[in-house]
Amino acid sequence: GKKLGYTFNHRNLHNVSLGQGQEVVAEQTLDLAAQEGHWVILQNIHLVARWLSCLEKKLEQLSEGSHRDFRVFVSAEPAPCPESHIIPQGILENSIKITSEAPTGMHANLHKALDNFSQDTLEMCSQEKEFRSILFALCYFHAVVAERRKFGPQGWNRSYPFSTGDLTISVNVLYNYLQAGSKVPYDDLRYLVGEIMYGGHITDDWDRRLCKTYLEEFLKPEMLEGELCLAPGFPLPGNMDYNGYHQYIDDALPPESPYLYGLHPNAELGFLTQRSERLLRTVLELQPRDSSTGQGALGSQEEMVQALLEEMLEKLTDEFNMAELLAKVEERTPYAVVALQECERMNALTAEIRRSLAELELGLKGELTMSSDMETLHSSLLLGAVPESWLRRSYPSTASLASWFADLLARISQLEAWTRDFSLPSTLWLGGFFNPQSLLRAVMQTAARRNKWPLDRMALQCDVTKKSREDFASAPREGAYVHGLFMEGARWDAQAGTITDARLKELTPAMPVVFIKAVPDDKQDSRGLYPCPLYRTRQRGPTYVWTFNLKTKENPSKWVLAGVALLLQ
């Protein structure tokens, strides 16, 4: 106000929070402010959609003859969808629009987190050194967990609404603890912040482990001895004043990179690639459907789709004859049951593919009326996307149609080879199953029957070999060899037999063949092991399959922060 030449004090400001019948109060306040040259803030106008047309008329009336200093400010939450855009066009056209967007990058997020406090905050605790150090560490923690979501599933399996309220309440808890005792209760602080303040938002167990690991790295006794680095090249600052902390961020924080979050630089390549793919896919979907797509033999879109469906129908093999397969099985072992279940599910999928393609072929020839389902299938084939009706009977996949169909044929080939005599193949493609967990459980069931072990007290032991699938001629006497696994966030060093840092631009390096066998729970040694989650796709989250314990020479917390996981695709 001063910069614009206004005479302003708190008496000139009227704040009205809309909702619960405050519309009449708002109109009276506007009339008074227009006469006296006051400012009016109308908060939460998205809660009074029906009254907005009245507000538009009122503002139009007050635009003439009002005091020169009269101003109106309105605030609203962002609309979740276009249908919720309810602010009248007249208000939008005659106003200056300002949006408050979340800060991007660690630098902006860390400053924003620190902005929630002041010099008075830093001076309010009797244990000043401890309070300031832990407060800054909590600010960095808040900035990390808020900005890490940009890395997609490798950052967080799911998106969480972390807010500045979580940070300020955590600092209040810190203050209360330090005022009540002379020692810093690190365990209590980590629990309250990680399990309640921030952990209350978290619904995924692996995300909860990540949150706890951050706090274990940031809140520990070493932080008061000047030996703690919040990120490579960014040590925790000593005792400073409020402006000093802001200046320290500007001077000492390294440039924006995944290293600030404990991630490998490949994480940035991965999420930027996926964002680009989504953008290009959207552009492709916006292309007109009725124009010619080329000058060759496949000139029209119908000819392209016709050629594609004919090729797919030609390559698609016959369904498995379940009666013959059941007659072949001499003993219903756990492995044989898995094979039969996979064949049944494959039959359901291939039957739907064959039916829908044959129906669409008749529609393109004019022998059937094109239904909405056929139109949807036609559009999917044209865009190279897997049709929705196939996905419902399928398995999680992020592949394009061509890759998905080639993957399907490979799955069928594995089942055909396995069901010739139902002997366990030398190595199994774990990603080629509708239900990979069923195979892993079959390994445990077979060992339990052979050794008469209780099934609920068993676990899987994972030993990574140094060989590829071509090096194995027969299945092991116990357990199973599996191939087709990939690692994201790191790589496997076959010579050293441990997890190690990934090479730049190698986003998902392939794993050697893995030997899986069942052992009693009490025989497992967890020392020097990283519990690595196994997912079906890079979407992670609901595609979780199992946990494999992998050897590591580094502290397992390094791989937790790096989001290291095994993938089946």
Side-chain angles (χ1 to χ4, degrees), residues 126-128 130 176-186 224:
S126 57
Q127 298 192 56
E128 196 170 286
E130 292 84 354
N176 292 335
Y177 264 101
L178 293 183
Q179 287 293 96
S182 58
K183 292 185 178 180
V184 179
Y186 291 101
L224 300 179

Side-chain angles (χ1 to χ4, degrees), residues 413-568:
S413 297
Q414 173 170 258
L415 288 175
E416 287 175 342
W418 191 358
T419 54
R420 286 193 186 103
D421 57 4
F422 283 91
S423 61
L424 194 65
S426 56
T427 69
L428 285 162
W429 175 29
L430 189 59
F433 289 85
F434 283 88
N435 184 8
Q437 292 96 325
S438 64
L439 176 70
L440 300 176
R441 292 195 185 99
V443 172
M444 298 174 67
Q445 290 169 350
T446 303
R449 292 182 184 181
R450 180 186 295 123
N451 301 300
K452 297 183 179 179
W453 292 338
L455 192 60
D456 61 341
R457 295 182 183 176
M458 294 175 62
L460 288 182
Q461 182 173 304
C462 168
D463 295 322
V464 184
T465 71
K466 296 184 178 181
K467 301 177 181 178
S468 60
R469 57 178 296 199
E470 292 79 13
D471 298 327
F472 293 88
S474 60
R477 286 185 298 175
E478 59 175 350
Y481 293 121
V482 297
H483 67 272
L485 276 63
F486 305 87
M487 183 174 284
E488 185 177 37
R491 66 181 175 90
W492 183 260
D493 187 334
Q495 298 303 316
T498 62
I499 307 175
T500 190
D501 289 319
R503 296 188 181 97
L504 197 61
K505 298 184 182 180
E506 287 186 10
L507 303 187
T508 52
M511 292 282 289
V513 170
V514 176
F515 176 44
I516 305 292
K517 70 174 182 179
V519 295
D521 264 341
D522 54 8
K523 294 288 181 69
Q524 273 204 320
D525 186 2
S526 60
R527 290 174 297 179
L529 296 177
Y530 165 62
C532 184
L534 171 67
Y535 299 98
R536 292 189 179 198
T537 73
R538 295 183 70 182
Q539 299 296 331
R540 301 196 181 193
T543 68
Y544 170 75
V545 177
W546 210 272
T547 303
F548 287 167
N549 292 322
L550 301 179
K551 292 180 181 178
T552 173
K553 292 180 181 177
E554 307 264 8
N555 191 320
S557 63
K558 173 179 178 178
W559 310 122
V560 174
L561 300 185
V564 174
L566 291 172
L567 308 175
L568 292 179

